[in-house]
Amino acid sequence: MADKMQGRASSARVFRSRIPTLLVSMFATFASIYVAGRLWQDSENRVYLIKELDRIIGQGRSVISVDDTLKIIACREQHKKLSALEMELAAARQEGFTSMRSTEINGTDYKRRPLVVIGIFTTFGRKNNRDAIRKAWMGTGAALKKMENEKGIIARFVIGRSANHGDSLDRAIDNENRQTKDFIILDTHVEAPEEFPKKAKLFFAHAAEEWNAEFYSKVNDDVYVNIDALGATLATHLDKPRVYMGCMKSGEVFSEPSQKWYEPEWWKFGDKKSYFRHASGEMYVISQALAKFVSINRAILRTYAHDDISVGSWFIGIDVKHVDEAKFCCSSWTGGAICAGV
């Protein structure tokens, strides 16, 4: 009897000890089912959302390509820039500034944006040439201002400094400029014939930073310019964002040091020794975008022996509209011509 009682007591203890284990197992099972159900539901939700996105976009794919992603990012960046520019424009209008292309807004006259900045390349000892240009087409004082205000054409003589900085040559230019106020003096440039290509680069960079013009032009100080013909011609090219305009030509590359137009780097131009097409150096014009391009990249833009070749080389590898305009051929004066050598 005692053995039976002990057996029953032992069975009861085993039964009681199994109850918590069973409960824990049941709880774990229900928890697993619950978690699995939630994960399945979340997965179904994700699949549904992806399908809805595909349906809305209408592209039938759930992954946006890298190209599309870059386009979306670029569009967002452009939108931000546009918004910033719109805010700047609104602020500028409140300040009274506006584009030159309209002379009157809401019945009120505003200062116009310049059409072109002309840099007349001169050097020491050529005051007679400068005076002839002032009398012929550039004007001085009130006449110079009138050309700027009414025609939007700014003209300045461009010169560097003497190798002996501050000598009589520099002082003569400074005195002349105090009287006429029609110079761009490039203080960091040493005036020398072989430095003309660098002078062109510095002029375009300086002019682009100083004036917000549509175009920028280089002219020699022995050239007569028909201002009205120039203005009319440039007005027909305002729709071209990157334009390089002039009397386009090519020609032989001279490889002998004894020759007048010797090109030290002649070998870069190929076996035929012929220059690429470029505007004649007597007078040529570039648009604002190209002048800014020169300004930004002036430290790395290569120059050759001549300024017209150098300028032409800068625009060979970029998207530029080359305009071969016979009116810029200064050596042949014809009806409607823009320039003529004197």
Side-chain angles (χ1 to χ4, degrees), residues 17-293:
S17 65
R18 287 179 179 176
I19 291 176
T21 302
L22 181 61
L23 290 174
V24 170
S25 299
M26 292 176 62
F27 178 77
T29 301
F30 287 130
S32 299
I33 294 171
Y34 173 78
V35 171
R38 290 298 303 270
L39 290 174
W40 177 259
Q41 186 178 13
D42 288 345
S43 177
E44 285 188 327
N45 288 339
R46 284 194 294 271
V47 171
Y48 171 77
L49 290 174
I50 290 172
K51 288 181 178 179
E52 283 297 298
L53 181 61
D54 288 341
R55 183 183 63 79
I56 294 171
I57 295 176
Q59 295 182 345
R61 62 175 185 249
S62 60
V63 179
I64 300 176
S65 68
V66 174
D67 287 342
D68 289 342
T69 303
L70 293 175
K71 288 177 183 178
I72 292 171
I73 294 172
C75 288
R76 288 174 178 171
E77 289 299 319
Q78 290 297 327
H79 181 71
K80 291 178 182 178
K81 291 179 181 179
L82 181 60
S83 299
L85 288 173
E86 287 175 345
M87 294 175 64
E88 291 180 8
L89 179 60
R93 284 173 175 165
Q94 291 180 352
E95 294 291 332
F97 296 97
T98 187
S99 172
M100 177 183 179
R101 300 279 67 82
S102 177
T103 59
E104 185 175 303
I105 294 180
N106 298 327
T108 304
D109 290 326
Y110 291 106
K111 184 178 180 180
R112 300 189 301 166
R113 179 179 176 181
L115 176 64
V116 60
V117 177
I118 302 174
I120 308 162
F121 279 33
T122 189
T123 188
F124 302 116
R126 295 180 68 88
K127 187 175 185 300
N128 290 339
N129 289 57
R130 294 191 289 273
D131 287 339
I133 285 176
R134 291 179 181 117
K135 284 185 178 181
W137 61 268
M138 179 177 167
T140 58
L144 185 62
K145 276 293 180 186
K146 183 178 180 181
M147 183 172 71
E148 294 177 10
N149 295 332
E150 294 186 1
K151 300 180 184 295
I153 297 177
I154 297 170
R156 296 288 187 273
F157 292 106
V158 182
I159 196 168
R161 287 299 189 182
S162 169
N164 300 313
H165 195 81
D167 64 6
S168 60
L169 296 175
D170 281 348
R171 291 196 297 272
I173 293 296
D174 289 337
N175 291 334
E176 185 179 344
N177 189 38
R178 275 193 288 270
Q179 296 174 7
T180 60
K181 295 179 174 60
D182 57 5
F183 277 87
I184 293 174
I185 300 177
L186 304 172
D187 287 318
T188 61
H189 177 71
V190 175
E191 193 66 35
E194 65 272 15
E195 297 297 330
F196 254 46
K198 293 180 181 178
K199 184 176 180 178
K201 183 164 57 173
L202 290 174
F203 160 67
F204 286 123
H206 172 85
E209 293 169 0
E210 184 71 18
W211 291 283
N212 183 32
E214 298 284 356
F215 299 98
Y216 302 84
S217 175
K218 178 262 177 176
V219 182
N220 287 341
D221 68 355
D222 57 357
V223 170
Y224 173 86
V225 177
N226 184 333
I227 292 298
D228 291 332
L230 175 64
T233 299
L234 294 182
T236 65
H237 296 283
L238 289 171
D239 60 330
K240 301 177 180 68
R242 295 173 300 279
V243 62
Y244 170 43
M245 192 183 327
C247 180
M248 296 293 169
K249 64 174 187 176
S250 186
E252 182 182 355
V253 180
F254 295 98
S255 57
E256 296 298 327
S258 59
Q259 295 172 313
K260 181 180 179 180
W261 305 110
Y262 170 60
E263 173 59 68
E265 301 202 51
W266 57 268
W267 61 274
K268 289 185 177 180
F269 297 93
D271 295 336
K272 293 183 179 180
K273 298 183 181 179
S274 180
Y275 285 119
F276 43 76
R277 300 291 284 180
H278 60 277
S280 173
E282 292 175 304
M283 182 177 187
Y284 50 83
V285 177
I286 64 175
S287 59
Q288 183 189 82
L290 298 186
K292 289 185 175 180
F293 170 81

